Amino acid sequence: MQEFSTFVTHLECSYTGKLYPANQLHGLSEAGKPLLVRYDMEGIAKAVSKNDLQQRRPEFWRYRELLPVRKSENVVRLGELMTPILPATKLQQELGCGEILIKDEGRLPTGSFKARGLALAVAMAKELGVTRMAMPTNGNAGAALAAYCSRAGIETFVFCPEDTPKVNIEEIAFQGAKTFLANGYINDCGKIVGEGKAAMNWFDTSTLKEPYRIEGKKTMGLELAEQMHWTVPDVILYPTGGGTGLIGMWKAFDELEAIGWIGPKRPRMVAVQAEGCAPIVQAYDAGERHAEPWQNAVTIASGIRVPAAVGDFLILDAVRESKGFAVAVSDDAINEAQRECALKEGILLCPEGAATLAALKQELVTGRINPNEQVMLFNCATGLKYPMESEHKSIDLSKPIDYDFISRS
Ligand SMILES: *Cc1c(COP(=O)(O)O)cnc(C)c1O
């Protein structure tokens, strides 16, 4: 049994700053806000160097000193890898803008970046003796929870809005979670999980309601900085639902600076939402620190259909501190961007990823993104998980093959 050295000192309420001990099971803080994991930064700086990383596998566990897991036996692996950063040179030329980079998270186990957060949450749950986990999900988080829990031998209950993409529902159930569809939104499903805690004795794994998913999502920031030779892009466009990834990356950059691996430069963080569900954008525009719950949320980008986020103030703080902004795009613009990227770059974005490209196009026009800026888009899941419009033509084999028709097509 190998011990990782862990540098966790304590947890801290992101709202009040109240401290909580490590090595205990935690949900939200007493103030009902997310808990953040804090580390002994000096200890980490002494224990590991950038060079040490080169001897380690190309996966996010290479950053283990900046992660909370204590015993390597609790790590559950499904072949995590460092996701590629793909330049989108044709789109760049066409839009007449600075470098466009796409971080393609669709390559991770279960086909989405939810694998990062859930790999950490499940490892920590295992370490802390949890045997039953539950979560509300719009699809990808449930799939990752189901996969990692089945592998770890933890029982899972997953609750989805009934209009969650069918593939997601099936993959969740198929990978062993007890799967339920409810006629409401993700927040309604969250209520089932929260209110059922006592009766069902399960651990609530909802976004930001436990402290470790954010540590997993943080690895996106660690990884992109390493891949960019310890620099960061000028702008990051992030499709924002619960905001774990945006908050996690923001935390990652601070931690990297604290151990001296990057300088003070930060990317401008842009929270991208869909026009049909844009609570963060509304709060940003109104100058508020908290978002009002969005009514009647509708968008094809199911991963960002989150009417109310517990970490709203953390998203808005990061966006403002970084001099970024929050912006909404229409479903039509999402569809168009998705098609354009597939056609021109051969990259099949998920609708949420396509939303970031749509936002880039829109904001180059308004001038909120400058044509000299280097921009990183996040494609959070493989496009293959989502329905696509069919664009093929059919051939009738009982007739002669009409090559003119084929050639004209
Ligand atoms: C969950 C999800 C998001 C939103 O991520 P958060 O970090 O929770 O805001 C975006 N896109 C996809 C595909 C997702 O599954």
Side-chain angles (χ1 to χ4, degrees):
M1 184 202 324
Q2 191 197 337
E3 293 274 320
F4 283 171
S5 23
T6 172
F7 292 88
V8 176
T9 50
H10 60 275
L11 285 75
E12 186 183 320
C13 173
S14 56
Y15 200 65
T16 64
K18 186 175 168 167
L19 308 187
Y20 292 78
N23 304 326
Q24 282 180 17
L25 205 54
H26 291 290
L28 289 171
S29 72
E30 282 157 48
K33 302 295 182 198
L35 286 173
L36 299 175
V37 182
R38 298 299 183 201
Y39 299 84
D40 164 15
M41 294 320 237
E42 261 171 56
I44 295 174
K46 283 197 202 109
V48 60
S49 72
K50 292 176 187 177
N51 267 344
D52 293 337
L53 296 182
Q54 269 149 40
Q55 266 76 64
R56 299 183 182 177
R57 285 202 252 180
E59 54 170 23
F60 54 72
W61 294 107
R62 69 204 267 105
Y63 309 113
R64 61 186 179 235
E65 285 84 358
L66 287 155
L67 295 173
V69 181
R70 219 161 271 271
K71 294 197 173 93
S72 61
E73 62 182 1
N74 293 321
V75 168
V76 189
R77 281 193 172 83
L78 281 167
E80 300 71 25
L81 40 76
M82 293 173 84
T83 62
I85 297 176
L86 306 169
T89 41
K90 281 196 208 143
L91 288 173
Q92 191 176 309
Q93 278 165 10
E94 204 154 302
L95 297 174
C97 63
E99 204 177 2
I100 303 178
L101 302 170
I102 301 177
K103 188 141 174 70
D104 190 6
E105 296 279 299
R107 320 290 180 100
L108 285 161
T110 71
S112 89
F113 67 1
K114 291 294 193 302
R116 293 184 190 265
L118 274 312
L120 261 293
V122 171
M124 286 307 289
K126 197 173 161 203
E127 194 152 283
L128 296 167
V130 172
T131 55
R132 183 181 257 198
M133 295 170 88
M135 112 175 348
T137 181
N138 280 322
N140 290 324
L145 179 74
Y148 281 98
C149 278
S150 288
R151 200 157 169 87
I154 293 174
E155 190 186 13
T156 42
F157 294 78
V158 172
F159 301 85
C160 316
E162 64 186 355
D163 54 356
T164 298
K166 193 167 179 301
V167 207
N168 288 131
I169 298 165
E170 301 313 340
E171 67 177 328
I172 296 166
F174 210 74
Q175 289 174 129
K178 301 201 169 81
T179 309
F180 302 86
L181 303 190
N183 50 348
Y185 296 100
I186 188 165
N187 305 69
D188 302 308
C189 293
K191 222 174 263 173
I192 303 174
V193 172
E195 288 170 5
K197 262 190 272 192
M200 298 300 298
N201 192 31
W202 56 38
F203 182 68
D204 185 345
T205 321
S206 304
T207 302
L208 293 173
K209 291 190 183 165
E210 62 76 57
Y212 302 110
R213 284 175 65 181
I214 186 174
E215 293 302 294
K217 285 280 200 83
K218 182 179 90 177
T219 62
M220 292 191 288
L222 305 175
E223 186 176 298
L224 77 84
E226 184 183 4
Q227 289 171 313
M228 296 181 71
H229 310 289
W230 306 108
T231 62
V232 293
D234 297 324
V235 184
I236 288 181
L237 284 93
Y238 186 80
T240 306
T244 335
L246 192 149
I247 301 164
M249 283 193 278
W250 193 242
K251 184 172 187 281
F253 300 139
D254 280 351
E255 292 177 356
L256 287 176
E257 189 183 358
I259 58 171
W261 290 10
I262 63 167
K265 179 187 165 180
R266 293 290 182 276
R268 299 204 292 132
M269 304 298 284
V270 176
V272 178
Q273 298 201 300
E275 278 177 3
C277 182
I280 298 297
V281 180
Q282 193 176 52
Y284 175 80
D285 289 340
E288 302 288 344
R289 195 174 181 222
H290 292 280
E292 290 297 321
W294 191 269
Q295 303 304 321
N296 306 317
V298 259
T299 168
I300 50 165
S302 46
I304 52 175
R305 199 173 65 141
V306 179
V310 257
D312 53 359
F313 64 102
L314 294 172
I315 303 169
L316 287 155
D317 287 355
V319 161
R320 290 190 174 115
E321 224 176 288
S322 73
K323 306 199 164 52
F325 54 92
V327 61
V329 292
S330 70
D331 277 11
D332 283 348
I334 291 175
N335 277 327
E336 193 190 305
Q338 188 188 30
R339 172 156 319 180
E340 203 177 351
C341 191
L343 217 53
K344 293 184 180 144
E345 300 289 355
I347 301 172
L348 186 59
L349 301 174
C350 61
E352 298 82 357
T356 64
L357 175 57
L360 171 62
K361 287 165 68 179
Q362 183 176 305
E363 298 307 319
L364 282 165
V365 176
T366 64
R368 284 204 285 186
I369 293 176
N370 183 309
N372 307 324
E373 288 182 301
Q374 182 193 47
V375 173
M376 183 174 284
L377 310 179
F378 267 84
N379 183 46
C380 310
T382 165
L384 289 173
K385 283 202 188 193
Y386 299 77
M388 274 168 267
E389 270 173 57
S390 70
E391 302 204 335
H392 61 267
K393 307 215 162 66
S394 299
I395 287 175
D396 180 356
L397 289 176
S398 69
K399 293 185 183 136
I401 305 296
D402 182 351
Y403 288 101
D404 277 345
F405 162 75
I406 292 174
S407 153
R408 278 193 316 272
S409 296

